[in-house]
Amino acid sequence: MSRSPSIGIVGATGAVGVEVIHCLEQRHFALSSLRLFASPRSAGKTLSYAGRPLTIEALDDKSLAGIDIAIFSAGGATSRTYAPPAAKAGTIVIDNSSAFRMDPQVPLVVPEINPEAMFRHHGIIANPNCVTIIAAVPLWPLHQVNPIQRIVMTSYQSASGAGAAAMAELEASTRAYLAGEAYTPKVLPHPYAFNLFSHNAKVDPVSLYNEEETKVMQEMRKIFALPQLRVAATCVRVPVLRAHSIALNVEFERPMTAVQARALLAATPGVKVVDDAARNYFPMPIDASGQDDVLAGRIRSDLSDPSGRSLALFVCGDQLLKGAALNAVQIAEALMARRG
Amino acid sequence: MSRSPSIGIVGATGAVGVEVIHCLEQRHFALSSLRLFASPRSAGKTLSYAGRPLTIEALDDKSLAGIDIAIFSAGGATSRTYAPPAAKAGTIVIDNSSAFRMDPQVPLVVPEINPEAMFRHHGIIANPNCVTIIAAVPLWPLHQVNPIQRIVMTSYQSASGAGAAAMAELEASTRAYLAGEAYTPKVLPHPYAFNLFSHNAKVDPVSLYNEEETKVMQEMRKIFALPQLRVAATCVRVPVLRAHSIALNVEFERPMTAVQARALLAATPGVKVVDDAARNYFPMPIDASGQDDVLAGRIRSDLSDPSGRSLALFVCGDQLLKGAALNAVQIAEALMARRG
């Protein structure tokens, strides 16, 4: 694969798929061909890439023949059906679903954190959950100088994490609320207009954690290669259109000051420190939306730990970009840089 | 004061003041007279109480003469100006502002928690911050059987906490967003439509905690009579109209299971357990709005503490009711019950 690769996008019409196309365009990804796949009902429609219309194809079990890198963002069921045979036939699959993330044979990669892991793939490389990525990117540089012992994370997750239909439902239900009209939720299980609710993923009846929380906790351990990391997540859906926010309370091995942490984060590629106490200006979803960097602010001592070993911070990242599409494209770029 | 008291409401036209009137009505508070006070621009308008129109009076330094109990909800400046002279003249002031909460001479009261404290007043009784009350009510019964050592609290605060004008701004700015029109925030410092931001209270340049967070941490210690309680708060404003939500991670002296905590909360007056994992149904602001009880759910082990001594939970309460007006009226009721 020393030539430019042929790329396929599976789930090209979804909220993440559309952003994968944009990322490839904007980053001038050197590709020899691009093919777009989606469900049969989208087949025949076109999407634009670099000024050219590309016709969407229905995905079947022959679709990916000859494609070097396929980026999957069409849900776990599609990934489980089509990714293993494609990988066996020689395509490298970068999978944005949760289907293979915890498979010990499958690297789970954030290029800023564990780039080497991707080269140990067996045809499938998993892209982490969006909350995992957005929390992991700013925590990693701190962990490098002072090992993390414990993380309590509390999320504020936007509609975009549940896809384009959920974003449309947030807008439509809010419009109905403001007009004094009734609205029956179709995509999400609870009313969304000016409301929030515990993340809609299934709740495990034993642990009582929902699948989103379980993913985030397991994936943090895998990406950081800390199988014993003590971590608890609370995942909540808020009526924000795009970009996830996360409050983090983090305990380190040794004391760490806010000043130290801020300096480390200011020097970290992929992170932008937004921490202006005088102007009360901190990370916000509207600022993170459409932006590659994860925003980090409210960096301060966690006053519930008098040892000085704990910090609190608030981070915000575009779920569709660094939380999904951008990270996948960065993995593809790193693969090509190594092979090129 | 064995007769029914004369009651005054200062700030009667505000979001909390209106709810104080409703609470007095709905709870059939035995009062001999009710007078409503607000700023001069509201004077002369009327509000209804028990089917009768009451004319709003401009507050001046003679207004409260002869009033037995005055409930203040007009901000710290009004309380600082008018509450001390009123108290000196014999009125009992129940103050909803933060002006006197940390004054050692002023009891800070949640009737379910520290009712005895109110009888040690010197004319002023402080009503705690809304986040404090909503977190404290469900934590107190747990603390009674297993002392709390540490609390990490992360809030999702609604527009109502910033008053009626902020609620109107959330609606107006969202309407503008949906119409594709520009909107310049007037009440809150940041765009609010489908966005969230760190609480708008001033940030202390040394601690880097904002005043809302500092209040919550200090008030929890005072109400629980635990001056050394280890507590950290992160306060965030979310685009919800009414009712605050709080994610709580709580460490106890000894292990506590979710089952134990749920049973304790189910038996606690003022708390309603909403914790249906099978239906993914947990506390939500739209359910808490207009409701006296604090809703508590997502009760589960905090997996970041392998000792089993920590629980995570998610609570939701009406900021205007139990978080403000209802708590103040409950204080007045308890005062009268003791005196009656």
Side-chain angles (χ1 to χ4, degrees), chain A residues 247-260:
Chain A
L248 295 163
N249 287 66
V250 187
E251 180 187 321
F252 298 90
E253 188 177 283
R254 304 179 308 277
M256 162 127 50
T257 67
V259 171
Q260 286 177 299

Side-chain angles (χ1 to χ4, degrees), chain A:
Chain A
M1 214 197 291
S2 59
R3 57 181 174 76
S4 291
S6 53
I7 302 283
I9 301 175
V10 176
T13 57
V16 175
V18 166
E19 294 299 337
V20 172
I21 299 172
H22 289 166
C23 284
L24 293 172
E25 265 178 347
Q26 284 170 8
R27 298 170 73 87
H28 306 289
F29 190 96
L31 50 81
S32 62
S33 69
L34 177 64
R35 288 170 66 194
L36 307 181
F37 303 97
S39 64
R41 74 168 185 284
S42 294
K45 294 179 187 170
T46 61
L47 282 171
S48 157
Y49 172 75
R52 292 177 299 131
L54 287 179
T55 303
I56 294 160
E57 307 171 52
L59 183 69
D60 64 36
D61 54 12
K62 310 226 168 11
S63 296
L64 300 176
I67 286 183
D68 296 316
I69 298 176
I71 299 177
F72 275 61
S73 305
T78 299
S79 293
R80 275 186 289 271
T81 304
Y82 295 100
K88 201 167 174 190
T91 299
I92 299 177
V93 172
I94 301 172
D95 183 27
N96 201 45
S97 85
S98 63
F100 304 105
R101 288 182 191 148
M102 295 312 297
D103 184 328
Q105 297 294 309
V106 174
L108 183 65
V109 175
V110 179
E112 291 90 339
I113 297 177
N114 58 346
E116 289 306 312
M118 76 176 89
F119 302 105
R120 295 190 292 272
H121 73 80
H122 301 273
I124 301 176
I125 299 167
N127 212 40
N129 170 283
C130 44
V131 171
T132 311
I133 297 175
I134 292 164
V137 166
L139 290 182
W140 182 251
L142 309 182
H143 177 66
Q144 295 315 289
V145 301
N146 195 346
I148 289 176
Q149 308 293 302
R150 180 184 185 182
I151 306 171
V152 171
M153 46 206 294
T154 307
S155 79
Y156 302 71
Q157 294 181 235
S158 63
S160 61
M167 297 171 77
E169 178 156 298
L170 175 56
E171 290 203 0
S173 60
T174 304
R175 194 172 272 120
Y177 180 97
L178 291 170
E181 294 163 5
Y183 185 93
T184 305
K186 295 163 200 75
V187 180
L188 290 166
H190 303 293
Y192 206 175
F194 302 119
N195 190 35
L196 59 80
F197 44 88
S198 182
H199 191 282
N200 44 293
K202 190 171 180 300
V203 180
D204 182 88
V206 176
S207 75
L208 300 175
Y209 281 73
N210 64 47
E211 286 179 356
E212 183 82 353
E213 293 162 349
T214 302
K215 283 177 198 173
V216 171
M217 296 185 289
Q218 290 178 337
E219 294 176 21
M220 288 296 287
R221 293 191 188 101
K222 181 166 176 174
I223 296 168
F224 279 24
L226 292 174
Q228 305 303 323
L229 178 66
R230 295 185 286 128
V231 52
T234 297
C235 289
V236 177
R237 190 75 77 187
V238 294
V240 165
L241 277 169
R242 184 167 172 164
H244 291 349
S245 307
I246 313 164
L248 295 163
N249 287 66
V250 187
E251 180 187 321
F252 298 90
E253 188 177 283
R254 304 179 308 277
M256 162 127 50
T257 67
V259 171
Q260 286 177 299
R262 202 173 294 111
L264 287 164
L265 290 171
T268 300
V271 175
K272 183 186 284 182
V273 173
V274 179
D275 205 14
D276 187 341
R279 291 200 307 135
N280 207 323
Y281 192 73
F282 301 108
M284 295 194 288
I286 51 164
D287 287 342
S289 293
Q291 185 159 158
D292 287 353
D293 288 340
V294 173
L295 312 183
R298 299 293 335 265
I299 305 163
R300 62 207 197 279
S301 179
D302 176 338
L303 296 179
S304 71
D305 179 359
S307 75
R309 295 187 298 113
S310 294
L311 291 179
L313 62 162
F314 193 79
V315 302
C316 202
D318 191 317
Q319 175 275 324
L320 296 174
L321 292 179
K322 186 58 191 173
L326 173 63
N327 197 71
V329 170
Q330 288 173 320
I331 291 172
E333 288 172 346
L335 286 173
M336 297 318 300
R338 176 72 68 100
R339 302 266 185 120

